[in-house]
Amino acid sequence: MPTSTFNPVRRLTALLSSKCQSAMPSSSSRTSSHAYRITSFSIPRRIAGYNGHAFSPKQFSTTASQQTKTIKPHRLPSDLIPPYPYGERRIYKQSNRGLYGSARIRFGNNVAEKHNNKSRRFWRPNVHVKTFFSPSLGARVKTRLTLRVLKTIRREGGVENYLLKSKPARIRELGPGGWNLRWILMQTQAVQQRFNEQRIELGLEPKEIENRDDVIHFALDYATPGPLSMRSRATLNEMQATIADTFVLGDDSLANFEGAEELSDEEERKLLSELENFDGASTPTRRQTAGA
């Protein structure tokens, strides 16, 4: 004989029909009133599924959830941020894209106990991926970091305290990725107010707080996957127009400016000879110095 399969739809239909029949009035009352009304009944809030697990009805809400960006420090625009004072790391270049501290890849030997044979090997740092929330930026920061740096962040009280420390040893540990994130943090009004409070405690005059929300929004939008928003495009166009109006020292397109002509070879030799004659006349020779 074929085995009967469990059908939850049939079970639900039978349950509803039994509820309706129990709620219906008797035949005598129906004939007297010529109508009947089905009383309200409650459907169980938990209904068994195929696998026997229970599920509850989904909660719906009309309130839009607050969107929070998740950025990566190495994706921040390098043209907008000042260069890292210590330069990029030549050894273990992966550390330029995270918070590795002073950890680098190390090389050594495996030594056999019996014959003392040596074979080359290397050790990589203990690197993990961690996401931090930055209250000043209002965004999450996802980066690679070592466990030693994570321990330091916990001791400092947060990733912002770790990045904003101004000791030379800390700045050297940040690397290019941490330096970019530190510069973006310093543009926020919350961090500017924090620095002003420190200046007042030291007896210095506070600086004026500048509104740089457009630059911060552009940097965060640039570091987030996807196309730029309309606000970020407008900020980018303004920055490009400002750069186009300024004169950059050492630009190869100097001949395109009005009133500037390219120096020919003859004029170059003539100017160099005049410079040599001028230098020779101004500096006395050894004989002149000895006779004096």
Side-chain angles (χ1 to χ4, degrees):
M1 294 180 64
T3 58
S4 60
T5 59
F6 176 74
N7 193 339
V9 179
R10 292 183 180 179
R11 181 176 178 180
L12 180 60
T13 306
L15 180 63
L16 294 178
S17 61
S18 63
K19 291 288 184 179
C20 294
Q21 291 177 4
S22 62
M24 286 183 182
S26 60
S27 59
S28 59
S29 61
R30 283 187 296 177
T31 55
S32 59
S33 60
H34 302 286
Y36 65 92
R37 179 178 298 176
I38 301 177
T39 58
S40 61
F41 57 91
S42 61
I43 301 177
R45 301 186 68 179
R46 290 180 173 271
I47 304 173
Y50 285 100
N51 53 2
H53 297 284
F55 63 91
S56 58
K58 185 178 180 181
Q59 301 293 335
F60 294 94
S61 176
T62 57
T63 305
S65 59
Q66 185 177 4
Q67 297 182 357
T68 306
K69 291 181 177 293
T70 301
I71 64 173
K72 295 184 178 181
H74 66 274
R75 290 186 176 179
L76 293 171
S78 58
D79 298 339
L80 180 65
I81 302 174
Y84 181 53
Y86 296 100
E88 293 187 356
R89 295 164 178 172
R90 301 295 182 180
I91 301 177
Y92 200 55
K93 296 182 179 180
Q94 182 181 349
S95 60
N96 294 326
R97 296 190 172 188
L99 301 176
Y100 285 62
S102 58
R104 301 291 184 273
I105 187 171
R106 296 181 300 169
F107 298 90
N109 298 321
N110 284 331
V111 182
E113 297 180 358
K114 186 175 181 180
H115 301 288
N116 200 21
N117 294 330
K118 296 181 180 180
S119 60
R120 295 292 294 175
R121 64 156 297 180
F122 60 89
W123 293 268
R124 295 183 183 274
N126 191 3
V127 180
H128 300 270
V129 178
K130 185 67 177 178
T131 302
F132 301 96
F133 179 75
S134 175
S136 301
L137 293 174
R140 292 188 296 266
V141 180
K142 185 177 182 180
T143 180
R144 293 182 179 181
L145 76 168
T146 59
L147 289 183
R148 188 177 297 275
V149 173
L150 180 60
K151 182 179 179 181
T152 307
I153 291 175
R154 299 304 183 192
R155 186 177 66 248
E156 294 287 349
V159 65
E160 292 187 358
N161 297 335
Y162 173 79
L163 294 171
L164 295 176
K165 198 169 183 179
S166 58
K167 289 186 176 180
R170 176 59 52 82
I171 296 178
R172 185 183 292 272
E173 290 181 1
L174 293 180
W179 172 262
N180 295 345
L181 190 59
R182 170 189 168 88
W183 187 86
I184 293 297
L185 278 173
M186 294 178 65
Q187 309 308 311
T188 59
Q189 298 183 14
V191 175
Q192 293 182 37
Q193 181 64 29
R194 176 179 174 179
F195 287 164
N196 283 339
E197 294 175 358
Q198 295 178 0
R199 292 189 183 95
I200 293 175
E201 293 178 358
L202 296 175
L204 302 176
E205 295 183 358
K207 293 184 178 181
E208 182 181 358
I209 298 178
E210 301 180 2
N211 187 4
R212 303 171 183 172
D213 293 341
D214 293 339
V215 178
I216 298 172
H217 185 272
F218 167 74
L220 297 181
D221 198 6
Y222 189 89
T224 306
L228 296 177
S229 61
M230 298 295 294
R231 179 181 177 183
S232 300
R233 292 179 182 177
T235 305
L236 179 61
N237 294 333
E238 291 178 1
M239 291 189 297
Q240 290 178 352
T242 305
I243 294 174
D245 295 340
T246 58
F247 176 76
V248 181
L249 183 63
D251 192 2
D252 295 336
S253 59
L254 181 63
N256 297 331
F257 288 93
E258 297 181 358
E261 298 180 357
E262 185 177 358
L263 188 65
S264 61
D265 297 338
E266 297 179 357
E267 295 178 353
E268 180 183 354
R269 288 192 295 269
K270 182 179 179 181
L271 292 175
L272 291 176
S273 61
E274 292 178 356
L275 181 62
E276 292 177 357
N277 296 333
F278 178 78
D279 293 340
S282 59
T283 56
T285 60
R286 293 182 179 180
R287 295 181 179 178
Q288 295 175 354
T289 307

